[in-house]
Amino acid sequence: MQATVTDHRCDIAVLHLRGELDADTAEKLRSTMADLLERPVPRIVVDLTDLKFCDSVGLSAFITSKQVITDRGGWLSFAGANPFLLRLLGTVGLTRYFAIFPEVEDAIAAGQL
């Protein structure tokens, strides 16, 4: 899995994920998220457009990060999930826990409200 971060207006970070997020690659996600969590008020959009697979270890990293972010007054949302990831998030009940948007720009716009 590859993870890159771009910053957008209003101090919103976009985390772009590519490949497969599983037990072998989750440490890269945790490390990248740890850097983002050092921001005073983390506001993060996770771009899932190029993420082809995610297992429970990857989901756990997102859940743990969201708890920290929420405690700091920030937010974490998803954008661009493919049908597999949307089904996975729905099956495990995370569609009620995370805001999910069709496109990164939609998530950024919602975060600026």
Side-chain angles (χ1 to χ4, degrees):
M1 181 201 70
Q2 295 175 329
T4 56
V5 176
T6 56
D7 287 305
H8 286 265
R9 56 194 174 271
C10 298
D11 298 323
I12 297 172
V14 179
L15 172 58
H16 305 273
L17 300 179
R18 175 182 295 264
E20 296 185 0
L21 176 55
D22 55 24
D24 294 329
T25 59
E27 187 54 39
K28 180 159 184 70
L29 173 62
R30 283 189 206 95
S31 174
T32 304
M33 291 298 289
D35 291 342
L36 293 172
L37 292 176
E38 291 182 17
R39 296 174 181 215
V41 180
R43 295 185 289 180
I44 304 166
V45 175
V46 180
D47 180 3
L48 302 173
T49 304
D50 295 318
L51 189 69
K52 303 305 177 206
F53 176 81
C54 181
D55 68 7
S56 62
V57 177
L59 293 177
S60 175
F62 288 128
I63 293 166
T64 302
S65 296
K66 184 169 180 5
Q67 292 168 340
V68 172
I69 290 167
T70 301
D71 290 345
R72 293 187 185 165
W75 50 262
L76 174 70
S77 62
F78 293 133
N82 64 39
F84 165 78
L85 292 172
L86 286 173
R87 188 171 55 253
L88 173 65
L89 293 168
T91 299
V92 298
L94 293 180
T95 53
R96 292 173 292 183
Y97 191 64
F98 290 96
I100 303 171
F101 297 91
E103 303 289 334
V104 169
E105 287 302 320
D106 299 327
I108 291 171
Q112 293 175 350
L113 297 177

